[in-house]
Amino acid sequence: MIMKNIVFLLIFSMTLYCKVNYKESTLIEKKDYGYIVYAEDYYRLYSLPSYYQEYDLLKNIDFLERALNAPFDFVNRALTIIESEQSYDRYKDLMHMQFNYLITQNYIYIASLYDKKKYYFYNSQFKDDIAKSFEYAVFYYNLAKERWDITKEYATKVMKNKAKLDMDNLIDKAYKIALGEIDYAKTANRQLNHIEEILKQIENE
């Protein structure tokens, strides 16, 4: 079972990288005013159209993963005014929380594309396709749960650090995440239970 999961993950990862042209791109990319090297630059590339497709979501995840692996820009070019070293630590934790938050969210969105909300008796002729689609949904929901654990860790660090930082919307989000008012793990678990119920329904036909 473990070997089967590893093989599935490798094949799936190769597919994901191909979809976002990962191998054709480099960590440093040209932009109008220079080169993309900093976390803030990749964050600015994030966008979610009203009618998104899987490619849009995978592209966002790729940008955000690059942001997590990239250094932050110089302090005087941060997304807000930084007045102390403690504020800068809080800023970096807050941005890493936001990157992971958005990655989690995009995983949930992708999973929902493979998730089937209802199963009717006339869907039985497609049950094999539905079951296969659920495999992808489960995979993405579990990735979302793993990423959410990281998001919560950063949110807790932001909440404990009381340094002044003029990023009220994100700080408010951090508090809600740390206190459990926002919880994507619950969303993922709810949908995973829903999928399990439908799979049992398919098996009992």
Side-chain angles (χ1 to χ4, degrees):
M1 178 61 72
I2 295 175
M3 183 60 68
K4 181 180 178 181
N5 290 338
I6 293 174
V7 172
F8 176 80
L9 180 60
L10 288 172
I11 295 173
F12 184 82
S13 299
M14 291 173 64
T15 303
L16 186 151
Y17 290 154
C18 290
K19 287 183 178 179
V20 295
N21 294 321
Y22 184 86
K23 293 181 179 179
E24 297 176 10
S25 58
T26 58
L27 188 60
I28 301 178
E29 299 178 9
K30 192 72 171 65
K31 59 185 177 183
D32 292 341
Y33 54 91
Y35 288 90
I36 300 175
V37 293
Y38 298 114
E40 291 90 343
D41 294 328
Y42 285 113
Y43 182 49
R44 291 186 182 98
L45 293 175
Y46 180 94
S47 65
L48 188 65
S50 299
Y51 301 99
Y52 57 79
Q53 297 179 357
E54 184 179 4
Y55 172 78
D56 300 306
L57 303 171
L58 289 171
K59 184 171 63 174
N60 276 339
I61 291 170
D62 184 52
F63 287 146
L64 294 165
E65 290 287 7
R66 290 167 186 263
L68 285 168
N69 291 308
F72 282 96
D73 206 342
F74 296 105
V75 179
N76 64 334
R77 291 206 294 265
L79 300 181
T80 189
I81 296 174
I82 305 294
E83 297 183 354
S84 68
E85 189 172 344
Q86 190 178 13
S87 295
Y88 192 45
D89 289 338
R90 193 181 197 195
Y91 168 79
K92 290 184 288 186
D93 287 336
L94 187 63
M95 294 306 299
H96 278 151
M97 180 209 77
Q98 176 68 350
F99 299 157
N100 283 289
Y101 173 89
L102 292 173
I103 290 173
T104 302
Q105 193 176 62
N106 278 258
Y107 278 145
I108 293 287
Y109 291 162
I110 297 175
S112 68
L113 296 177
Y114 290 102
D115 198 350
K116 188 170 182 62
K117 306 303 182 289
K118 296 283 187 179
Y119 181 80
Y120 301 99
F121 70 93
Y122 51 79
N123 295 139
S124 59
Q125 59 183 317
F126 308 111
K127 62 182 182 181
D128 290 339
D129 293 330
I130 292 172
K132 186 64 179 178
S133 183
F134 278 157
E135 286 186 27
Y136 284 95
V138 168
F139 180 79
Y140 277 118
Y141 282 134
N142 283 325
L143 284 180
K145 288 173 60 179
E146 292 174 9
R147 190 60 63 134
W148 190 246
D149 287 339
I150 301 173
T151 305
K152 286 172 60 179
E153 289 176 10
Y154 279 112
T156 300
K157 291 176 68 176
V158 171
M159 189 172 67
K160 290 179 178 179
N161 186 341
K162 304 299 182 182
K164 181 181 177 182
L165 193 64
D166 188 18
M167 300 183 80
D168 292 345
N169 288 338
L170 287 183
I171 290 173
D172 182 60
K173 183 190 290 184
Y175 273 72
K176 289 180 178 179
I177 292 170
L179 296 173
E181 294 178 25
I182 301 176
D183 193 343
Y184 272 119
K186 285 185 178 179
T187 301
N189 283 327
R190 182 178 63 247
Q191 293 308 118
L192 287 169
N193 290 334
H194 173 70
I195 288 173
E196 188 175 348
E197 289 175 4
I198 294 181
L199 288 174
K200 288 180 180 177
Q201 184 180 345
I202 292 174
E203 291 174 1
N204 292 331
E205 285 186 343

